Amino acid sequence: MRILGIDPGLRVTGFGVLEKHGSRLQYVTSGVIRTGEGTLPARLRIIFEGVAELVDTYRPDQAAVEKVFVNVNPQSTLLLGQARGAAITALSVGGLEVFEYTPMQLKQAVVGYGRARKEQVQEMVARLLTLTGTPGKDASDALGVAICHAHSGETYAALAEVSPALAAKGLRVRRGRLIG
């Protein structure tokens, strides 16, 4: 299974592609989509077209996107939400099912601690994928969300079949218990 992970951002959107072979993960590629300083619609178009190009080039089977967290600045949160929307729309137009994970879920899956620092995520992504170097923060987060999906996506999909309403809320099963 090939998974495309996206860490949305209005200035920099990270992406990471990996393949899952049984329980083994294999790195394919990662990087960023930079939007520059244009108008908001122009920047959203760059995100949309960049993600659409990734879908066409790497042909992922599934996509995982980091959920927006509420920032101190409501305007920044709204702008981030629009960037996320452009990325999710491109994934959906590309025919992919999109799974969403919170930053805490990502950190828990990659580092084992939901409040880990970005540097810890970067280091663990490099170790888990046996990379020769450390990816940048945005690419690392995108690979992290792909790793998170690789580890919990099957459970998430099974939960969605049983109860779509619970899966839509981001709930998952851990040690036989339903958690958020």
Side-chain angles (χ1 to χ4, degrees), residues 56-118:
D56 287 342
T57 302
Y58 295 103
R59 306 260 184 233
D61 300 303
Q62 295 181 345
V65 178
E66 190 172 345
K67 283 186 180 180
V68 173
F69 64 92
V70 177
N71 199 333
V72 175
N73 182 342
Q75 183 65 24
S76 295
T77 303
L78 289 171
L79 291 172
L80 179 57
Q82 290 176 342
R84 248 180 113 256
I88 289 172
T89 301
L91 295 168
S92 183
V93 167
L96 293 172
E97 186 173 7
V98 179
F99 296 85
E100 299 176 80
Y101 298 92
T102 66
M104 189 172 278
Q105 287 172 312
L106 177 159
K107 292 173 183 177
Q108 182 70 40
V110 174
V111 180
Y113 176 61
R115 299 193 190 286
R117 296 183 327 272
K118 284 212 180 256

Side-chain angles (χ1 to χ4, degrees), residues 18-51:
L18 57 82
E19 288 186 355
K20 181 179 179 186
H21 303 281
S23 62
R24 192 174 62 87
L25 300 178
Q26 179 183 356
Y27 174 83
V28 176
T29 191
S30 63
V32 295
I33 300 166
R34 296 189 189 279
T35 62
E37 294 293 328
T39 65
L40 178 62
R43 292 162 82 183
L44 294 175
R45 181 178 176 171
I46 291 168
I47 294 168
F48 177 87
E49 290 174 345
V51 172

